[in-house]
């Protein structure tokens, strides 16, 4: 019997109402103070942290699944609504360490979009709305953006050995940013 077959079947409960997972193995809470250098307006970020007591930016809930070939990692990503200046809250974004791996995101609630980019500078975005699946193909870095007033909740699935490469996005950033100006979503 293979090692993967030694892993026992299981299930988890996901609340479709509030975008949480019951008894996750890991619960990553990303505070606004860890987002230095990501947004266009650093002063607005500092003001937000000072005036609102370092609010939670997003949360990720994951069940225990080995990061091994053959498994599928899955998670709930819950990105809170908010602006840094007029720029919409987003997740840090990453390439997969194993670059040739894809990911599916099923939007459960909220509204926003997924920014995606390749290493050679090609950029794309896809809207998120409840019930819409967005596909981040192999080699495309991905970042969720919340353009609404409620949490943007997605259910994500990817090859378990994909890994997360955040460093290259810290260095490169994304060529597109998303703002709310005069009540309209502006992507530029
Ligand atoms: O694996 C994914 O792409 C997601 O589960 C993300 O990890 C999640 O949306 C949080 O974003 P990030 O990993 O860029 O901080
Ligand atoms: Ni990913």
């Amino acid at each position: 019997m293979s090692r993967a077959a030694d892993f026992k079947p299981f299930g988890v409960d996901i609340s479709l109402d509030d975008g949480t997972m019951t008894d996750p193995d890991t619960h990553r809470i990303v505070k606004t103070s860890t987002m230095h250098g990501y947004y266009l307006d650093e002063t607005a970020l500092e003001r937000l942290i000072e005036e609102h007591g370092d609010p939670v930016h997003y949360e990720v809930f994951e069940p225990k699944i080995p990061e091994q070939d053959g498994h599928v990692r899955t998670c709930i990503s819950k990105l809170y609504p908010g602006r840094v200046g007029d720029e919409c809250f987003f997740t840090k974004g990453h390439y997969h360490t194993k670059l040739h791996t894809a990911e599916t995101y099923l939007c459960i609630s909220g509204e926003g979009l997924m920014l995606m980019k390749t290493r050679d500078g090609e950029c794309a975005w896809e809207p998120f709305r409840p019930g819409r699946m967005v596909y981040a193909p192999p080699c495309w870095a991905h970042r969720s953006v919340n353009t609404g007033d409620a949490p943007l909740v997605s259910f994500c699935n990817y090859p378990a050995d994909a890994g997360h490469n955040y460093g290259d996005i810290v260095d490169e950033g994304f060529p597109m940013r998303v703002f709310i100006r005069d009540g309209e979503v502006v992507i530029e």
Side-chain angles (χ1 to χ4, degrees):
M1 199 193 288
S2 73
R3 283 170 57 208
D6 292 339
F7 192 79
K8 301 297 179 217
F10 72 97
V12 292
D13 291 303
I14 292 167
S15 165
L16 301 182
D17 293 328
D18 70 356
T20 55
M21 184 182 286
T22 308
D23 294 330
D25 181 55
T26 59
H27 178 195
R28 180 176 156 219
I29 299 176
V30 179
K31 297 283 206 94
T32 303
S33 57
T34 70
M35 301 297 292
H36 282 291
Y38 282 91
Y39 289 95
L40 206 53
D41 188 343
E42 187 65 26
T43 311
L45 184 82
E46 275 157 22
R47 203 169 45 237
L48 179 68
I49 295 166
E50 223 173 86
E51 291 175 3
H52 295 273
D54 196 8
V56 173
H57 225 70
Y58 58 100
E59 297 179 71
V60 183
F61 302 86
E62 293 171 305
K64 193 178 186 66
I65 295 172
E67 294 182 41
Q68 287 168 8
D69 179 34
H71 286 276
V72 174
R73 291 275 291 183
T74 186
C75 75
I76 287 287
S77 166
K78 182 176 185 178
L79 170 62
Y80 286 89
R83 317 273 180 266
V84 177
D86 57 2
E87 189 171 3
C88 299
F89 274 19
F90 56 68
T91 58
K92 290 180 175 173
H94 55 265
Y95 292 101
H96 288 160
T97 311
K98 200 170 173 182
L99 199 57
H100 286 261
T101 52
E103 182 158 356
T104 59
Y105 275 66
L106 175 64
C107 178
I108 291 171
S109 61
E111 56 188 288
L113 54 94
M114 174 85 99
L115 289 181
M116 289 169 277
K117 63 161 272 190
T118 63
R119 286 202 187 278
D120 55 18
E122 198 178 344
C123 195
W125 63 272
E126 276 294 326
F128 274 135
R129 53 181 173 267
R132 184 172 170 87
M133 188 280 283
V134 172
Y135 187 63
C139 304
W140 287 76
H142 37 283
R143 162 180 287 171
S144 304
V145 184
N146 187 337
T147 58
D149 299 322
L152 174 65
V153 180
S154 315
F155 177 55
C156 320
N157 288 281
Y158 56 95
D161 58 347
H164 293 71
N165 169 357
Y166 293 99
D168 286 352
I169 294 300
V170 170
D171 295 341
E172 298 169 8
F174 270 73
M176 283 183 179
R177 291 181 177 274
V178 184
F179 305 90
I180 302 287
R181 292 186 185 137
D182 298 325
E184 298 293 324
V185 176
V186 176
I187 305 165
E188 62 182 33

